[in-house]
Amino acid sequence: MTRATPLSFKDVDGLGFAGASNEIDLAQASGPYAPNSLGPLLELLHLSAGGRLPKPPGGESWLTSNGATAMISALQDGREWWLNSNDRRMGFVRAERSGPDADNRLVSFLMNAQTAARDVAGLPGTAPRQLAAAMEELENNIHEHSDAADTGLLAFRAAAGVFEFVAADRGIGILSSLKRCTNYTAVADHGDALRTALTDGTSRFGTDSRRGYGFRPIFLGLANLRGSLRFRTGDHALIMNGTSPNLATAQLAQKPAIDGFFASIRCQTQRR
């Protein structure tokens, strides 16, 4: 039996470009893929939900079954939240939740993420708390900026030495959001919008609003850790890699178009 190729962002990009051109040689396709990392998995599902992927070989799935299958099923079933019942190393929560305990559900989810970052991934010091705070800020951004909170999602996964999380929505995207403010009418394209949005103090509510610092906890949490960050909107990605990643080391790249906003953050301890 042939071992499935681990799904990477490169694979996701290739499938996205193939979907945009409506051309893919299924005989040469490398799929199905094994979803071993949270970011590529959820970006693939994000593109699929927007109808931006080609049909998989045999019309079945681009993904093989593995430890992520239960999460995928919960997402496809429309669950508002889900945590791995065995060890709570993986889970998601929707930005829009119903019922009187909706807010408490987010608090509980963030506490589980923080615990997994500390006890499973082994992240040191204040990093687990700061990354949980970053997740909360990104969830707030979905409500404030996407105009489509019902599509919003927050998810995490922890393994020995590794913690990763994703925040995503299929809303209006960063460029359209920024252009609602006269301070940012000169923002040229999706790439420029990404770099602008990740700069401290940038907010569609204006430079005098004392808002726009939602990404700072991410960089604080990744201090002295090896990080891989990927932010997507429109037809661009802003990517950062390395120890204590920051905006000065970021690279912009043309990518297949995506709906709304997608953020994937993966960090690992230095000993790996």
Side-chain angles (χ1 to χ4, degrees):
M1 182 176 179
T2 303
R3 185 178 180 181
T5 302
L7 181 70
S8 68
F9 282 122
K10 182 178 179 180
D11 298 317
V12 175
D13 290 341
L15 291 172
F17 281 125
S21 63
N22 292 316
E23 295 180 1
I24 187 167
D25 187 348
L26 297 182
Q28 297 179 3
S30 299
Y33 299 92
N36 297 338
S37 186
L38 186 68
L41 165 62
L42 292 186
E43 187 168 330
L44 182 83
L45 296 179
H46 191 99
L47 290 169
S48 178
R52 295 184 178 275
L53 290 183
K55 293 183 179 179
E60 297 179 358
S61 175
W62 285 112
L63 302 170
T64 60
S65 297
N66 66 4
T69 301
M71 171 183 270
I72 296 170
S73 296
L75 285 165
Q76 293 174 339
D77 289 345
R79 295 270 297 273
E80 287 189 356
W81 66 277
W82 176 88
L83 283 170
N84 184 299
S85 59
N86 294 327
D87 50 26
R88 301 198 169 198
R89 295 185 175 198
M90 179 186 300
F92 71 80
V93 66
R94 306 279 183 181
E96 278 204 349
R97 301 168 298 279
S98 58
D101 63 340
D103 290 338
N104 291 335
R105 202 171 302 141
L106 175 62
V107 172
S108 176
F109 175 82
L110 293 171
M111 290 179 63
N112 276 284
Q114 182 174 330
T115 299
R118 183 187 66 234
D119 297 346
V120 179
L123 299 190
T126 60
R129 176 175 56 80
Q130 288 168 331
L131 291 177
M135 294 171 68
E136 184 175 19
E137 287 291 340
L138 289 173
E139 199 268 351
N140 287 337
N141 284 350
I142 293 172
H143 291 278
E144 290 188 349
H145 303 297
S146 72
D147 281 7
D150 59 309
T151 69
L153 181 75
L154 193 64
F156 76 90
R157 171 186 172 271
V162 176
F163 182 74
E164 49 187 337
F165 63 94
V166 164
D169 66 73
R170 298 196 308 279
I172 62 174
I174 292 179
L175 182 61
S176 294
S177 179
L178 285 179
K179 282 187 172 292
R180 289 181 172 180
C181 176
T182 56
N183 294 114
Y184 305 110
T185 54
V187 175
D189 55 29
H190 294 289
D192 192 16
L194 277 168
R195 189 177 290 278
T196 300
L198 267 74
T199 302
D200 266 358
T202 298
S203 170
R204 81 175 193 192
F205 299 107
T207 54
D208 296 328
S209 65
R210 298 184 181 274
R211 302 172 75 169
Y213 298 91
F215 295 102
R216 180 182 291 173
I218 297 175
F219 300 115
L220 291 174
L222 292 177
N224 301 315
L225 295 174
R226 293 171 58 193
S228 299
L229 296 79
R230 177 175 165 111
F231 300 95
R232 295 274 281 112
T233 193
D235 59 357
H236 272 78
L238 188 146
I239 301 166
M240 290 172 253
N241 292 292
T243 302
S244 300
N246 57 72
L247 197 56
T249 65
Q251 295 183 339
L252 286 171
Q254 193 91 26
K255 298 295 180 182
I258 195 170
D259 301 306
F261 175 68
F262 186 95
S264 170
I265 293 88
R266 176 186 172 95
C267 60
Q268 57 190 63
T269 58
Q270 295 284 24
R271 64 177 179 269
R272 284 182 63 87

